[in-house]
Amino acid sequence: MSVNVIAIDGPAASGKSTAARELAAAIPGAVCINTGSMYRAVAWKAMRDGMDPAHPDRDRLNRLLETIRMRFVSTPEGCELEVDGERPGNALRTPEVSAGASAIATIPEVRRKLVELQRAMAAEQMIVMEGRDIGTVVFPDAKYKFFLTASPEVRARRRLLQDGGNPDPAEVARVAAEIAARDKTDSTRADSPLRRAEDAVLIDNSTFSREETIQRMLERIQRKMTVMPYRVPYADTDQMGVVYYANYLVYFERFRNELLRDAGYTYRRLEEDGIAMPVIEAVCSYKASAKYDDLLEITGRFAEAKGVKVKIECEVRREGKILVEGYTVHACMDLKSGRPTRPPEFIRELLLKP
Ligand code: DC
């Protein structure tokens, strides 16, 4: 089952944080998590304790990792990291901490600890998580993956403007060299190096505005996402006043109709084309219940096509929170011969596009 994560990876200053913040704002119930700030926080704490982030004393570092607590707090600008009850804010953004974060991020114990914290954050909500290894290591099963990049000069210029610096050629060259050094450490380290996941959508935003980048990402997400709103009627509830468990399979079916329609098809047309897709497996996992008059959002996608089988995933949410998730597996059948057949071309094509 793919996890409810939009993973954004890419080199330094490629626009990941802005994209994550704005995508989370555009998707109901989504929150954004900037994993770079977590590595920065470890470097910041280690440096404050007198350690050299490139060669820290391992026992002291391990003690720090054992007790460190991190959580993201929502702010009007997005979200801010709280470390052991403190909010370091801009103290995490100094050039010393940037270089320290890149160095300390090569240490496997640090990565193990932060990956564990990051996975625990993706429990119930849709998460937009950005970093270097989100689509490859933290959430290889993320539902949507992006790899953002831009030319070194564009990235240096953006970083300078963001920090209130003067983008004259000498300054741009200096910051570009700093960024290049960090990219090198990040992409050549042995543990979880920065690289694009094979199934990540590559966006080089050198010539795009911020809005254009977000627009492209949203288009990719929506192309994969059909959303069906559904208001629960009395008829769907049981004596406990909640939606009867078996009804969710009916919701899944209604949703599949919409999914096909979104792809430019209908089930009727498939049958006219001589193909049926009977269900051969249905899985449903219940996390919370829905009640009469709740407005549900049912979403999902074609997840896999293997041999003659097609897997369709489905989620039922209320205000962003997942109530039920599951999938059905269908065997494609030639109606004339009654024999198994390959999935229709359009489904295979949809699955080939990231
Ligand atoms: O995204 P950023 O520039 O704030 O990240 C700071 C450093 O943290 C970066 O140079 C490498 C490291 N990092 C990492 O190794 N893995 C991540 N998922 C995020 C950041």
Side-chain angles (χ1 to χ4, degrees):
M1 188 70 164
S2 58
V3 287
N4 244 334
V5 169
I6 298 176
I8 308 176
D9 290 304
S14 55
K16 303 183 301 291
S17 321
T18 311
R21 204 173 45 240
E22 299 199 358
L23 276 186
I27 298 170
V31 293
C32 76
I33 289 176
N34 170 328
T35 60
S37 62
M38 298 170 78
Y39 287 91
R40 286 171 184 270
V42 174
W44 172 70
K45 283 215 90 160
M47 286 157 82
R48 234 178 28 173
D49 287 358
M51 284 181 244
D52 169 2
H55 307 283
D57 178 280
R58 289 306 173 98
D59 289 339
R60 284 178 69 196
L61 180 66
N62 285 340
R63 276 200 299 280
L64 185 155
L65 291 173
E66 266 166 33
T67 56
I68 201 163
R69 295 277 169 276
M70 295 192 192
R71 69 182 188 118
F72 283 89
V73 187
S74 288
T75 65
E77 295 78 42
C79 57
E80 196 181 341
L81 182 61
E82 194 179 275
V83 193
D84 294 333
E86 274 185 86
R87 295 206 200 166
N90 280 338
L92 297 184
R93 313 247 20 121
T94 63
E96 295 74 28
V97 172
S98 299
S102 196
I104 219 157
T106 61
I107 300 174
E109 289 86 340
V110 173
R111 304 207 69 81
R112 206 174 312 130
K113 172 73 184 189
L114 295 193
V115 168
E116 181 190 308
L117 289 177
Q118 288 151 13
R119 287 188 180 145
M121 287 172 180
E124 288 188 336
Q125 286 154 301
M126 168 65 93
I127 298 239
V128 186
M129 190 175 275
E130 56 104 344
R132 304 291 190 290
D133 58 344
I134 312 305
T136 49
V137 174
V138 187
F139 291 111
D141 294 335
K143 211 159 271 185
Y144 311 97
K145 295 185 190 177
F146 294 96
F147 191 90
L148 295 191
T149 187
S151 72
E153 205 206 303
V154 167
R155 291 193 279 133
R157 199 174 279 281
R158 281 188 195 149
R159 182 52 43 98
L160 263 171
L161 290 173
Q162 185 189 356
D163 296 344
N166 182 5
D168 64 49
E171 271 295 271
V172 172
R174 183 186 62 76
V175 175
E178 236 173 62
I179 289 180
R182 209 138 68 80
D183 286 350
K184 185 157 181 245
T185 319
D186 296 345
S187 49
T188 56
R189 66 178 174 229
D191 190 350
S192 320
L194 165 69
R195 69 175 176 82
R196 175 188 165 201
E198 269 172 24
D199 51 350
V201 176
L202 174 70
I203 299 185
D204 181 334
N205 58 26
S206 303
T207 59
F208 299 162
S209 67
R210 211 173 82 193
E211 291 78 12
E212 280 169 330
T213 304
I214 305 300
Q215 195 46 39
R216 268 162 214 256
M217 295 173 88
L218 275 174
E219 274 166 16
R220 287 297 191 145
I221 292 169
Q222 280 151 1
R223 194 186 297 168
K224 270 194 162 182
M225 197 190 253
T226 293
V227 182
M228 183 183 102
Y230 184 72
R231 177 81 67 181
V232 177
Y234 263 132
D236 287 6
T237 59
D238 62 13
Q239 200 174 351
M240 293 188 289
V242 298
V243 170
Y244 184 59
Y245 77 99
N247 279 331
Y248 289 99
L249 289 182
V250 180
Y251 295 178
F252 283 14
E253 195 225 329
R254 288 176 181 225
F255 169 76
R256 289 197 299 274
N257 273 320
E258 297 310 313
L259 185 69
L260 278 172
R261 224 173 264 280
D262 261 8
Y265 265 74
T266 61
Y267 196 72
R268 184 192 294 273
R269 189 170 147 209
L270 266 186
E271 287 180 336
E272 283 165 4
D273 289 347
I275 295 180
M277 288 176 58
V279 175
I280 56 167
E281 186 183 350
V283 170
C284 214
S285 148
Y286 302 89
K287 305 192 181 303
S289 43
K291 298 195 179 63
Y292 164 67
D293 212 34
D294 279 352
L295 181 59
L296 306 181
E297 226 175 33
I298 307 178
T299 61
R301 60 183 195 138
F302 290 104
E304 206 173 87
K306 255 196 209 146
V308 300
K309 293 183 195 168
V310 174
K311 180 175 173 185
I312 300 178
E313 290 178 349
C314 201
E315 279 148 26
V316 181
R317 280 171 225 243
R318 184 183 48 217
E319 289 171 3
K321 183 181 158 136
I322 294 197
L323 307 182
V324 170
E325 62 182 349
Y327 61 85
T328 47
V329 178
H330 304 252
C332 298
M333 191 177 87
D334 182 298
L335 277 171
K336 255 198 217 123
S337 66
R339 299 182 63 81
T341 184
R342 272 167 57 82
E345 191 63 37
F346 81 94
I347 294 182
R348 282 183 280 137
E349 256 181 31
L350 274 174
L351 281 160
L352 284 178
K353 290 182 194 145

